[in-house]
């Protein structure tokens, strides 16, 4: 399974937070189903069949996150992460007692959330390290390795994340807004930031072959031969 196939169920009552997390998780290649409360939780678990569940502990309507976690654990071993502003030791212990695999205290960085989600999915065997190819370009996301033909291409972490974001939608035009969200988790739009790093990545890739990252005027970029 690659990241594009991993399904995440997110239950978060704050619409702004929920939208931001959905955008970031989708930008990382996941399929995301967001819910504002737990009233339809059991039905969504059965229908959506998530590979990982993210639960806000304090929900305004219906059962709280701890109750939902206990219900999930009654018949499923799907990885479970609690999201909460409650950071006392007793709160964390309650979360783990309810079946949590991880517990993330608000406010948290999106980068930390993505790292923990990926680690849990790998540990549970629900996420393989994807390797994909475009022309003579081969990218191994697990090993963070980029090759063109027989040559390894040294890229920075940011350049690798940009290439990965393009590679997960290879052959499709990817907007600069999407790249900002996927790589930097920015809400504001700064095209220069994307353009500078794309230019650097292009130079490194084109030192070993023809152009693979093409500009789509008025939209963004596409990775193709």
């Amino acid at each position: 399974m690659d990241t594009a196939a991993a399904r995440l169920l997110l239950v978060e009552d704050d619409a702004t937070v929920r939208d931001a997390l959905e955008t970031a998780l989708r930008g990382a290649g996941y399929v995301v189903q967001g819910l504002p409360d737990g009233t339809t939780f059991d039905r969504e678990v059965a229908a959506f069949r998530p590979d990982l569940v993210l639960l806000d502990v304090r929900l305004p309507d219906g059962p709280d996150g701890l109750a939902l976690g206990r219900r999930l654990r009654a018949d499923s071993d799907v990885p479970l992460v609690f999201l909460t502003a409650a950071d006392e030791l007793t709160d964390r212990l309650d979360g783990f007692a309810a079946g949590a695999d991880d517990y993330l205290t608000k406010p948290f960085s999106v980068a930390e959330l993505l790292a923990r989600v990926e680690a849990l999915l790998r540990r549970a065997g629900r996420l393989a390290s994807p390797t994909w190819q475009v022309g003579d370009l081969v990218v191994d996301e697990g090993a963070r390795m980029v090759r063109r033909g027989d040559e390894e291409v040294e890229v920075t972490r940011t350049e690798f994340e940009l290439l990965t974001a393009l590679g997960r939608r290879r052959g499709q035009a990817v907007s600069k807004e999407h790249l900002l969200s996927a790589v930097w988790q920015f809400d504001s739009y700064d095209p220069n930031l994307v353009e500078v790093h794309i230019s650097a990545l292009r130079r490194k890739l084109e030192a070993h072959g023809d152009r693979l990252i093409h500009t789509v005027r008025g939209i963004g970029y596409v990775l193709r031969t």
Side-chain angles (χ1 to χ4, degrees):
M1 173 189 301
D2 64 19
T3 53
R7 300 178 300 278
L8 310 184
L9 181 62
L10 167 66
V11 185
E12 167 62 62
D13 67 294
D14 187 312
T16 300
V17 174
R18 187 173 66 252
D19 289 346
L21 292 180
E22 286 186 32
T23 298
L25 291 166
R26 287 180 180 135
Y30 300 109
V31 177
V32 185
Q33 175 68 44
L35 299 176
D37 54 53
T39 55
T40 63
F41 180 75
D42 294 332
R43 184 166 70 247
E44 291 295 338
V45 169
F48 186 58
R49 295 179 294 108
D51 296 295
L52 182 142
V53 174
L54 298 157
L55 275 178
D56 186 13
V57 170
R58 294 174 178 172
L59 298 171
D61 300 315
D64 65 13
L66 295 178
L68 295 177
R70 287 189 288 269
R71 277 158 47 178
L72 181 71
R73 275 292 165 265
D75 57 7
S76 174
D77 63 352
V78 64
L80 170 61
V81 181
F82 280 123
L83 311 175
T84 180
D87 60 355
E88 297 294 331
L89 176 60
T90 54
D91 296 313
R92 294 195 297 273
L93 291 177
D94 286 343
F96 288 118
D101 294 282
D102 207 345
Y103 190 101
L104 205 53
T105 304
K106 300 175 182 178
F108 51 80
S109 73
V110 172
E112 181 180 10
L113 174 65
L114 293 175
R116 294 196 187 197
V117 165
E118 182 176 350
L120 283 172
L121 288 169
R122 291 194 191 286
R123 189 187 311 161
R126 296 172 183 261
L127 185 67
S129 298
T131 300
W132 47 267
Q133 183 171 357
V134 176
D136 64 349
L137 172 70
V138 178
V139 176
D140 183 335
E141 294 188 26
R144 301 186 74 82
M145 183 274 294
V146 179
R147 299 186 68 87
R148 289 209 70 176
D150 296 327
E151 298 293 327
E152 184 167 351
V153 182
E154 296 292 335
V155 296
T156 67
R157 177 178 178 179
T158 298
E159 291 163 356
F160 185 86
E161 295 300 329
L162 268 176
L163 184 58
T164 298
L166 290 169
R168 289 173 179 168
R169 296 189 176 188
R170 49 197 178 275
Q172 304 175 36
V174 182
S175 70
K176 294 176 184 178
E177 294 94 333
H178 176 84
L179 293 173
L180 278 168
S181 174
V183 178
W184 290 278
Q185 290 83 51
F186 280 9
D187 293 326
S188 59
Y189 179 50
D190 180 3
N192 291 330
L193 183 62
V194 177
E195 290 166 7
V196 166
H197 287 280
I198 285 288
S199 294
L201 178 58
R202 272 177 169 163
R203 286 195 297 272
K204 292 181 179 181
L205 294 179
E206 291 171 20
H208 303 281
D210 296 334
R211 172 158 293 193
L212 294 175
I213 300 176
H214 303 270
T215 299
V216 181
R217 191 173 301 277
I219 300 177
Y221 304 95
V222 59
L223 182 66
R224 58 172 174 76
T225 56

